[in-house]
């Protein structure tokens, strides 16, 4: 940026972000005047109310007790998948609004659940002794940053830090004990399992979705080299789809 006169001011972040996204390509000029700040780009002009920077809370300084670095692409991929399965609404279990991020013995784990579905992803990283429940929205925001640097994550007693390039985040870790689904997964081994092509599975689910949406339930029956999906609704009827499985 070309700074003609140094200074600092506080602007409404959400309004500025939405406005900047709708501006045409070109040079953006930011100027302060009495009672407001003017943002200009091409033939567009936006005037925003501002606050004195001295009234803005200072960025907190946190000394993490545990730190790990995750490759940018791996972080974005794991976050994108893990945040699909978090609880969407506030309940009496706030930990379900976040993702459980844990590292031990060189293995990074991200898990999430909405009480109906459970997701877990693992990857090898140079990290250990990291354990925190992190707000899903904060993880999405960090993953969506157009950065190429690795993501450094830190955790203290009740706070979480994330940094990537010149972007830093500090927030409160979600308190509580995250539910453990490992015993349940261990019980499932040996009962029934099937290996299916994900695209074929999505196609089969799509074909019965119009009936399944009434109840939200799909009956899954493994067979000999096949998997049968069945949805039944008193209002809509019945739908069945079958696909190959190992």
């Amino acid at each position: 940026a070309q700074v003609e006169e140094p200074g600092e001011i506080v602007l409404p972040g959400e309004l500025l972000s939405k406005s900047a996204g709708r501006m045409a390509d070109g040079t953006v000029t930011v100027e302060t005047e009495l009672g407001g700040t003017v943002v200009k780009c091409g033939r567009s002009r936006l005037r925003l109310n501002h606050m004195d920077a001295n009234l803005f809370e200072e960025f907190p300084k946190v000394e993490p007790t545990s730190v790990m670095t995750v490759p940018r692409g791996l972080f974005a991929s794991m976050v994108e998948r893990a945040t699909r399965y978090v609880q969407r609404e506030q309940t009496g279990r706030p930990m379900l609004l976040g993702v459980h991020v844990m590292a031990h013995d060189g293995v990074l784990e991200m898990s999430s659940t909405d009480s109906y579905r459970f997701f877990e992803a693992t990857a090898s990283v140079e990290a250990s002794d990291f354990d925190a429940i992190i707000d899903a929205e904060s993880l999405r925001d960090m993953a969506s940053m157009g950065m190429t640097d690795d993501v450094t994550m830190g955790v203290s007693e009740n706070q979480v830090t994330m940094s990537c390039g010149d972007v830093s985040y500090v927030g409160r870790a979600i308190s509580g004990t995250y539910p453990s689904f490992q015993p349940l997964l261990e019980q499932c081994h040996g009962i029934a399992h099937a290996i299916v092509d994900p695209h074929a599975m999505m196609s089969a689910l799509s074909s019965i979705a119009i009936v399944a949406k009434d109840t939200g339930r799909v009956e899954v029956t493994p067979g000999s080299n096949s998997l049968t999906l069945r949805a039944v609704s008193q209002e809509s009827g019945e739908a069945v789809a079958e696909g190959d499985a190992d």
Side-chain angles (χ1 to χ4, degrees), residues 16-78:
L16 180 62
S17 176
K18 290 181 178 179
S19 301
R22 296 172 182 172
M23 289 181 176
D25 292 337
T27 302
V28 177
T29 302
V30 182
E31 300 175 344
T32 59
E33 59 183 32
L34 185 62
T37 296
V38 176
V39 182
K40 295 184 291 186
C41 180
R43 303 173 73 175
S44 299
R45 184 179 186 275
L46 173 69
R47 186 182 183 281
L48 299 172
N49 295 330
H50 61 222
M51 293 174 52
D52 189 331
N54 293 323
L55 300 177
F56 195 76
E57 185 176 349
E58 290 188 10
F59 197 80
K61 296 180 180 179
V62 178
E63 295 294 336
T65 56
S66 180
V67 177
M68 68 174 175
T69 300
V70 184
R72 176 76 180 82
L74 176 63
F75 176 83
S77 175
M78 294 182 72

Side-chain angles (χ1 to χ4, degrees), residues 137-190:
E137 194 63 34
S138 300
L139 285 170
R140 288 194 198 99
D141 288 344
M142 181 59 70
S144 66
M145 299 289 180
M147 303 289 184
T148 57
D149 299 306
D150 293 342
V151 178
T152 300
M153 307 178 69
V155 60
S156 63
E157 183 178 355
N158 59 0
Q159 289 183 305
V160 173
T161 66
M162 292 185 286
S163 61
C164 181
D166 58 358
V167 176
S168 298
Y169 163 88
V170 175
R172 183 174 294 276
I174 299 178
S175 59
T177 302
Y178 206 80
S180 174
F181 287 85
Q182 196 59 41
L184 177 61
L185 295 175
E186 292 174 356
Q187 292 177 20
C188 292
H189 286 303

Side-chain angles (χ1 to χ4, degrees), residues 123-136:
S124 298
V125 296
E126 296 183 6
S128 61
D129 301 326
F130 189 100
D131 193 339
I133 305 173
I134 305 177
D135 172 63

